[in-house]
Amino acid sequence: MPLDRRLIRLTDGRLSVTGWRTAPPTLLLTTRGRRSGQLRERPLLYARDGDAYVVVGSNWGQARHPGWSANLLAVAAGTITVDGETTGVRAVLLEGSERDRVWPLLLRVWPAYRDYDARSGRSLRIFRLEPVRSAGR
């Protein structure tokens, strides 16, 4: 993961350790640690939903939720870097029918999410990351 973060940042999101051109869409999410207060970066696969980005806290199917998802629950804000452009976002935890609606979008990006969901023994957290518009835009 540290190498992937570095590679994504150095190439403005054009390269990832998962590959080039055939790699699933990846963004770099920056959140503030809920306990440490330090900035935390994580590369995440995403699906587009209108002008927003949808990400899932799969944690590779482990039983625990990833730390970045708990950070977003504590403070529903962060930044994302996509294709070299950094944007502030507001995070919304999706539940119910809205969660059900975006699940197929995520499976198109990474079908293994279905396996991660089955083996994790928990409900995977899905967030919609909505770009924050400045007052002058």
Side-chain angles (χ1 to χ4, degrees):
M1 184 132 359
L3 175 61
D4 206 24
R5 275 195 304 266
R6 220 171 291 127
L7 188 58
I8 290 169
R9 181 154 309 285
L10 289 173
T11 64
D12 290 333
R14 291 186 305 274
L15 294 176
S16 171
V17 295
T18 58
W20 182 58
R21 293 186 194 235
T22 60
T26 304
L27 59 76
L28 194 59
L29 173 67
T30 304
T31 59
R32 188 159 302 277
R34 66 198 176 286
R35 290 188 293 232
S36 71
Q38 295 181 11
L39 294 178
R40 304 290 186 194
E41 290 183 329
R42 290 293 174 257
L44 299 172
L45 302 182
Y46 69 89
R48 289 301 304 256
D49 185 32
D51 65 345
Y53 301 81
V54 180
V55 294
V56 58
S58 69
N59 208 15
W60 304 97
Q62 296 179 42
R64 295 181 60 167
H65 292 286
W68 64 263
S69 73
N71 293 344
L72 287 180
L73 290 176
V75 177
T79 62
I80 58 170
T81 303
V82 180
D83 296 329
E85 188 173 323
T86 300
T87 305
V89 291
R90 180 177 74 93
V92 177
L93 178 65
L94 300 182
E95 298 175 306
S97 62
E98 188 64 8
R99 184 187 190 283
D100 294 342
R101 184 186 68 79
V102 301
W103 182 242
L105 300 176
L106 291 162
L107 292 177
R108 278 196 290 272
V109 169
W110 194 251
Y113 284 142
R114 184 176 282 111
D115 297 330
Y116 300 165
D117 184 52
R119 84 169 168 243
S120 71
R122 60 183 169 86
S123 178
L124 303 182
R125 292 175 179 158
I126 298 177
F127 291 89
R128 179 179 167 93
L129 305 175
E130 301 171 345
V132 176
R133 307 283 184 225
S134 65
R137 290 174 106 178

